[in-house]
Amino acid sequence: MPIRAVIWDIDDTIFDYTGADRVGMRKHLASEGLPAGYASVEQALDAWRVITDTQWVRFAAGETDFQGQRRDRVRAFLGRSLTDAEADDWFGRHVVHYEAAWALFPDAVPALDLLAGRYRHGVLSNSSIHNQDRKLRTLGVRDRFEAVVCAVELGISKPEAGAFHAACDTLGLAPQDVVYVGDHPDIDAGGAVAAGLKGVWLDREGRGGRPELVRITGLDQLPGLLAGNTRFGAPDTFR
């Protein structure tokens, strides 16, 4: 059956989360001071990214809740015990700088423009609706998506099949009618395929090495892929 809808990841897919987080944390550290144990701001930024990834895995596995992973990120980063209120306050000061750096990737709106009218659009994110709905509205693209479905409210996260199926159900479509686009090969593309959707790995860094996945390196390639044009090297598994 033909593809009828595209469901999108947000962070590091259409929204430059890594860039905003790094810029925001750099400004936050300039205000707060470099924590003990880090020899440089760059070392601290790299550590923050690793800690963030680790805590998101715990959240996705149900080992902590959304607010808990934020607090644990702060505690691990600073290397000391903090009350919940202290961790929340520190993270809140970081968020001010992080949100000031919010930006879409340059290829996001052009891709959405090219696909508008041909496909229905939704979002499935491993974050919360409070964060992601507000983010999309601030970035000016919320009206591009019929539905925004998030793990915090669902109680399940990608790559669980139930998360993908919930997003499809919101659009009233069967999984085989939907393509999911995201930046993570396993959580996004692999999880989508396992759930019966078509999956596209957005490999912006050009890492490669996953021949079993349909892969693009920029959203400018997505309209051609959906139309069956595979000149950029993605396997034609959608027809």
Side-chain angles (χ1 to χ4, degrees), residues 13 25 41 44 49 51 56 61 69 81 107 120 137 151 156 176 179 186 188 197 210-211 229 231-232:
T13 297
M25 183 55 69
V41 170
R49 180 64 186 191
I51 290 166
W56 269 105
Q69 62 82 25
S81 297
D107 58 2
R120 298 169 64 190
R137 292 183 188 281
I156 51 175
Q176 62 265 28
V179 61
D186 297 311
D188 293 325
L197 292 75
R210 298 294 297 273
N229 179 348
R231 288 178 296 173
F232 51 83

Coordinates of all heavy atoms in Angstrom, one line a residue, residues 13 25 41 44 49 51 56 61 69 81 107 120 137 151 156 176 179 186 188 197 210-211 229 231-232:
T13 N 16.3 15.8 14.6 CA 15.7 15.4 13.3 C 15.3 16.7 12.6 O 15.8 17.1 11.6 CB 14.6 14.4 13.5 OG1 15.1 13.2 14.1 CG2 13.9 14.1 12.2
M25 N 24.4 25.2 27.2 CA 25.3 24.8 28.3 C 26.6 25.6 28.4 O 27.0 25.9 29.5 CB 25.6 23.3 28.3 CG 26.4 22.7 29.4 SD 25.6 23.1 31.1 CE 24.2 22.0 31.0
V41 N 36.0 23.7 29.5 CA 34.6 23.8 29.1 C 34.2 22.7 28.1 O 33.2 22.0 28.2 CB 34.2 25.2 28.5 CG1 32.8 25.2 27.9 CG2 34.3 26.2 29.6
A44 N 33.7 19.4 29.8 CA 32.4 19.5 30.5 C 31.3 19.3 29.5 O 30.3 18.5 29.8 CB 32.3 20.8 31.3
R49 N 26.9 15.7 27.5 CA 26.2 14.9 26.4 C 26.2 13.4 26.7 O 25.1 12.8 26.6 CB 27.0 15.1 25.1 CG 26.4 14.3 23.9 CD 25.0 14.9 23.6 NE 24.3 14.0 22.6 CZ 23.2 14.4 21.9 NH1 22.6 15.5 22.2 NH2 22.7 13.6 21.0
I51 N 26.3 12.0 29.7 CA 25.4 11.9 30.9 C 23.9 12.0 30.4 O 23.1 11.2 30.8 CB 25.7 12.9 31.9 CG1 27.0 12.6 32.6 CG2 24.6 13.0 33.0 CD1 27.6 13.7 33.4
W56 N 18.8 9.3 29.4 CA 17.6 9.1 28.5 C 17.4 7.6 28.3 O 16.2 7.2 28.2 CB 17.8 9.8 27.2 CG 17.3 11.2 27.2 CD1 18.0 12.4 27.3 CD2 15.9 11.6 27.1 NE1 17.1 13.5 27.3 CE2 15.9 13.0 27.2 CE3 14.7 10.9 27.1 CZ2 14.7 13.7 27.2 CZ3 13.5 11.6 27.0 CH2 13.5 13.0 27.1
A61 N 13.8 3.2 29.4 CA 13.6 1.8 30.0 C 12.7 1.8 31.2 O 12.4 0.7 31.8 CB 15.0 1.3 30.4
Q69 N 15.1 12.0 35.4 CA 16.3 11.9 34.6 C 17.0 13.3 34.5 O 18.2 13.4 34.4 CB 15.9 11.4 33.2 CG 15.0 12.2 32.3 CD 15.6 13.3 31.6 OE1 16.8 13.3 31.3 NE2 14.7 14.3 31.3
S81 N 25.8 15.4 45.7 CA 24.4 15.2 46.0 C 23.7 16.5 46.0 O 24.2 17.5 46.5 CB 24.3 14.6 47.4 OG 24.8 13.3 47.4
D107 N 17.2 22.4 6.7 CA 16.5 21.6 5.7 C 15.1 21.2 6.2 O 14.3 20.5 5.4 CB 17.3 20.4 5.3 CG 17.6 19.5 6.5 OD1 17.2 19.7 7.6 OD2 18.4 18.5 6.3
R120 N 0.0 13.1 5.2 CA -0.3 13.6 6.5 C 0.9 13.6 7.4 O 1.9 12.8 7.1 CB -1.4 12.8 7.1 CG -2.7 12.8 6.2 CD -3.7 11.8 6.7 NE -4.2 12.1 8.0 CZ -4.9 11.2 8.7 NH1 -5.3 10.0 8.2 NH2 -5.3 11.5 10.0
R137 N 5.6 25.1 18.7 CA 4.9 26.4 18.6 C 6.0 27.5 18.6 O 5.8 28.4 17.7 CB 3.9 26.6 19.7 CG 2.8 25.6 19.6 CD 1.7 25.8 20.7 NE 0.7 24.8 20.7 CZ -0.3 24.7 19.9 NH1 -0.5 25.7 19.0 NH2 -1.2 23.7 19.9
A151 N 6.2 10.2 24.8 CA 6.3 9.1 25.7 C 5.9 9.3 27.1 O 5.4 8.4 27.7 CB 7.8 8.6 25.6
I156 N 5.0 4.7 27.5 CA 5.9 3.8 26.8 C 6.7 4.7 25.8 O 6.3 5.7 25.4 CB 5.2 2.7 26.0 CG1 4.1 3.3 25.2 CG2 4.6 1.6 27.0 CD1 3.4 2.2 24.3
Q176 N 1.6 0.0 8.3 CA 2.2 -0.2 7.0 C 2.0 1.0 6.0 O 2.6 1.1 5.0 CB 1.7 -1.4 6.3 CG 0.2 -1.5 6.0 CD -0.5 -2.2 7.1 OE1 -0.1 -2.2 8.3 NE2 -1.6 -2.8 6.8
V179 N 5.5 6.1 7.4 CA 6.9 6.1 7.4 C 7.3 7.0 8.6 O 6.7 8.0 8.9 CB 7.6 6.6 6.2 CG1 7.2 8.1 5.9 CG2 9.1 6.5 6.2
D186 N 18.5 2.8 15.9 CA 17.8 1.7 16.6 C 16.5 2.2 17.2 O 15.5 1.6 17.0 CB 18.7 1.1 17.7 CG 20.0 0.5 17.1 OD1 19.8 -0.3 16.2 OD2 21.1 0.7 17.6
D188 N 14.8 4.9 16.5 CA 13.8 5.5 15.5 C 13.6 4.5 14.3 O 12.6 3.9 14.3 CB 14.4 6.8 15.0 CG 14.4 7.9 16.1 OD1 13.5 7.9 17.0 OD2 15.3 8.7 16.1
L197 N 6.1 -0.3 10.6 CA 6.1 0.9 9.8 C 7.3 0.9 8.8 O 8.2 0.0 8.9 CB 6.3 2.2 10.7 CG 5.2 2.6 11.6 CD1 5.1 1.7 12.9 CD2 5.3 4.1 12.0
R210 N 25.0 0.7 8.5 CA 23.8 0.0 8.8 C 23.0 -0.3 7.5 O 22.0 0.3 7.2 CB 22.9 0.8 9.8 CG 23.5 1.1 11.1 CD 23.8 -0.2 11.9 NE 22.5 -0.8 12.3 CZ 21.8 -0.5 13.3 NH1 22.2 0.4 14.2 NH2 20.7 -1.2 13.6
P211 N 23.5 -1.2 6.7 CA 23.0 -1.4 5.4 C 21.5 -1.9 5.4 O 20.8 -1.9 4.4 CB 23.9 -2.4 4.8 CG 24.6 -3.1 5.9 CD 24.7 -2.1 7.0
N229 N 12.6 7.8 -5.7 CA 13.8 8.2 -6.3 C 15.0 7.9 -5.4 O 15.1 8.5 -4.3 CB 13.8 9.7 -6.7 CG 15.1 10.2 -7.3 OD1 16.1 9.5 -7.3 ND2 15.0 11.4 -7.8
R231 N 18.4 7.9 -6.0 CA 19.7 8.2 -6.6 C 20.8 8.5 -5.5 O 22.0 8.3 -5.8 CB 19.6 9.4 -7.5 CG 18.8 9.2 -8.8 CD 18.7 10.5 -9.6 NE 17.9 11.4 -8.9 CZ 17.7 12.7 -9.3 NH1 18.3 13.2 -10.3 NH2 16.9 13.5 -8.6
F232 N 20.3 8.8 -4.3 CA 21.3 9.1 -3.3 C 21.7 7.9 -2.5 O 22.5 8.0 -1.6 CB 20.7 10.1 -2.3 CG 19.4 9.8 -1.8 CD1 19.2 8.9 -0.7 CD2 18.2 10.3 -2.3 CE1 18.0 8.6 -0.2 CE2 17.0 10.0 -1.9 CZ 16.8 9.1 -0.8

